[in-house]
Amino acid sequence: MHTELVAFPASSRSVGSAAARRIAEASRLPELLDRHPFDTDLLARAGRLLVRMGSSRGEPTDLLDYCDALGVYDSVVTRAGLLPPTLDNAAMLLSLALDLSSGTGVLLNWPPGRRAALLESLGRLLDEPRWAAAGAAASGAEQRFRADWIRRTGRQPFKRPATSGGLRIEVVAGDPADREPVETRIIVDGRPVVPAVFGRGPAHSPEYLLDNGLLRAGTEPRKVQLAKAHCTEGCCGALYVTVRRDADQVVWENWRRPQTVPGSHGPAPELPAHRFDASAYDAETARAEGDRPWSWPARTTARLIKAGLVEKPELLSRWDARRGWIGTGFDDPDTTVVTFLYVPGLAAGRPERAEESVQFRWVVPDDGTPPRAQAAAALRRLAEEDPKSYARVCGGSRERAEELGFPWPDSTR
């Protein structure tokens, strides 16, 4: 089994959390690591399996129910200094650190102080010059983007004590090579809320939770969706909490989630209310809203374009269009993607067949200028030129698009 596991692709996106757990169990991974203590290929693959099991795209039970998880974490981290300082290994170790700091790995049954000690060990190692320079020779757009991710994120999991209490909000961008999401991890009394009580999908993005101010506490109660299932809310549910201010405290209460949680055969227990000191709560939400070292130029450009269109919706409405999703490209995160819906007659207040709108997609490549300049240029173009003349149809009603003279996208491209 050692030969097969070492030959296994180290960065296969096709291996989900459940498959990673089955591989680790079938290969008796702790025994292999004990028999081959200096095999760096085996060590790297063991680390990758842990990363896949802890992925926020998977189910937390795949890691939490893996009975050898603590021992494999211990072996990988304590021997990590044997690994060659490659880009793949640096990304794997950083992913493990992010998981141990604010991800599913926090929820394992750690002996007192052991998780903090492993995090500290990873922090010292990744701070060494040979590891800090791991991405210096990156070639190709994807490798360079991954190296940039390591530079942006490299110290994040080591900034705060692993046992901090109260409320902590961490925006975590996962390894882009694995297409991991950017999520707003909410840690209450040291435990990440979403994998602990929901486990059907990652926490929502900072653009949704933080840019919209949804976590701010006012006197009027606000129901906030913290996460939704990988499929859809209608299929497997979502996680909600009500946030309100009560004098000098902020209260999270009236949790709502599916009646069962992954890995459990019985009904999900009711969740208790949490109370936070209001001053500390306000300070933490303000810090999280303004703390953006996790972002990269194209993502910042997307945020600024969206903010501009929220402030001036007429930039699109004058062209019979309304704002859709705005973010970065899935296959090319160095591009900004602006989508909008076209409904003839919208500008005049007489929309025609609004239920049959046509969706357009405009891709804005990163030209190397500051994001604020790129966003301003994009907004100027929207003000001056009909975006239907340079964007492409990407969805909506095919019949309506062809009726209006717009070619339907070729699915083979």
Side-chain angles (χ1 to χ4, degrees):
M1 196 64 183
H2 168 262
T3 303
E4 289 82 356
L5 186 57
V6 169
F8 184 77
S11 58
S12 175
R13 292 183 198 138
S14 63
V15 178
S17 59
R21 177 185 168 189
R22 288 196 294 270
I23 291 168
E25 290 173 337
S27 64
R28 297 181 179 178
L29 191 53
E31 295 178 24
L32 283 181
L33 290 167
D34 286 344
R35 288 202 303 269
H36 305 275
F38 301 107
D39 187 330
T40 56
D41 287 337
L42 175 62
L43 192 64
R45 276 145 182 80
R48 285 296 301 169
L49 290 173
L50 283 178
V51 170
R52 299 311 298 155
M53 280 186 268
S55 169
S56 59
R57 291 192 182 279
E59 291 191 358
T61 51
D62 290 315
L63 178 64
L64 300 179
D65 290 344
Y66 176 45
C67 61
D68 293 317
L70 294 182
V72 177
Y73 269 112
D74 209 274
S75 294
V76 171
V77 175
T78 56
R79 302 177 197 174
L82 300 173
L83 293 169
T86 65
L87 183 62
D88 277 346
N89 287 338
M92 179 270 289
L93 294 176
L94 177 55
S95 295
L96 287 182
L98 290 167
D99 190 47
L100 289 171
S101 171
S102 59
T104 304
V106 175
L107 302 173
L108 290 165
N109 189 23
W110 292 98
R114 188 56 187 157
R115 179 171 62 91
L118 293 181
L119 260 177
E120 184 179 350
S121 176
L122 282 172
R124 287 196 306 268
L125 180 68
L126 292 175
D127 203 30
E128 292 179 6
R130 66 192 184 104
W131 283 97
S139 60
E142 186 166 317
Q143 280 199 341
R144 287 194 296 271
F145 189 81
R146 198 181 194 195
D148 286 342
W149 166 72
I150 291 174
R151 282 192 286 271
R152 291 193 307 271
T153 312
R155 303 315 302 167
Q156 181 178 359
F158 315 112
K159 287 181 178 178
R160 292 190 177 194
T163 56
S164 60
L167 175 71
R168 175 175 147 218
I169 303 170
E170 289 287 339
V171 177
V172 173
D175 186 347
D178 288 340
R179 300 294 191 262
E180 286 294 306
V182 179
E183 56 178 333
T184 311
R185 294 182 178 177
I186 297 168
I187 299 95
V188 175
D189 295 334
R191 292 172 60 83
V193 169
V194 171
V197 305
F198 181 59
R200 298 170 186 264
H204 274 312
S205 72
E207 286 87 353
Y208 177 78
L209 284 175
L210 299 178
D211 288 357
N212 293 324
L214 296 183
L215 296 181
R216 297 176 192 170
T219 53
E220 290 296 320
R222 174 190 289 130
K223 185 170 73 173
V224 180
Q225 187 187 86
L226 300 178
K228 66 178 179 179
H230 295 291
C231 43
T232 64
E233 179 179 0
C235 179
C236 290
L239 176 66
Y240 289 88
V241 69
T242 297
V243 180
R244 67 178 176 88
R245 187 176 296 269
D246 180 16
D248 60 351
Q249 293 185 322
V250 172
V251 184
W252 283 23
E253 61 187 358
N254 299 329
W255 295 85
R256 200 183 89 195
R257 60 174 172 168
Q259 293 185 345
T260 61
V261 294
S264 173
H265 300 292
E270 288 193 16
L271 297 173
H274 290 282
R275 288 182 171 268
F276 309 97
D277 175 79
S279 297
Y281 183 96
D282 292 342
E284 179 62 5
T285 54
R287 181 204 61 78
E289 289 174 1
D291 191 18
R292 298 190 175 273
W294 55 267
S295 190
W296 59 98
R299 187 125 182 172
T300 301
T301 299
R303 180 177 63 84
L304 294 171
I305 291 174
K306 179 182 176 181
L309 291 176
V310 169
E311 183 181 353
K312 296 182 177 181
E314 66 275 10
L315 294 180
L316 277 176
S317 62
R318 63 177 300 192
W319 309 112
D320 288 337
R322 64 172 180 265
R323 174 173 53 88
W325 175 82
I326 301 173
T328 54
F330 180 76
D331 291 322
D332 186 359
D334 271 333
T335 60
T336 297
V337 178
V338 179
T339 67
F340 59 89
L341 298 176
Y342 171 49
V343 181
L346 188 67
R350 294 185 297 274
E352 303 171 11
R353 295 158 60 184
E355 71 282 358
E356 298 179 83
S357 60
V358 181
Q359 186 180 39
F360 284 78
R361 182 175 187 265
W362 176 31
V363 178
V364 185
D366 181 4
D367 63 9
T369 59
R372 192 165 295 279
Q374 293 189 57
L379 292 169
R380 280 196 303 272
R381 189 175 187 188
L382 288 171
E384 297 167 0
E385 297 179 55
D386 186 342
K388 298 188 293 297
S389 65
Y390 48 87
R392 293 180 179 271
V393 172
C394 66
S397 168
R398 177 171 186 165
E399 178 182 336
R400 185 64 165 146
E402 293 175 345
E403 179 185 322
L404 294 168
F406 297 106
W408 193 253
D410 183 353
S411 60
T412 63
R413 287 188 295 180

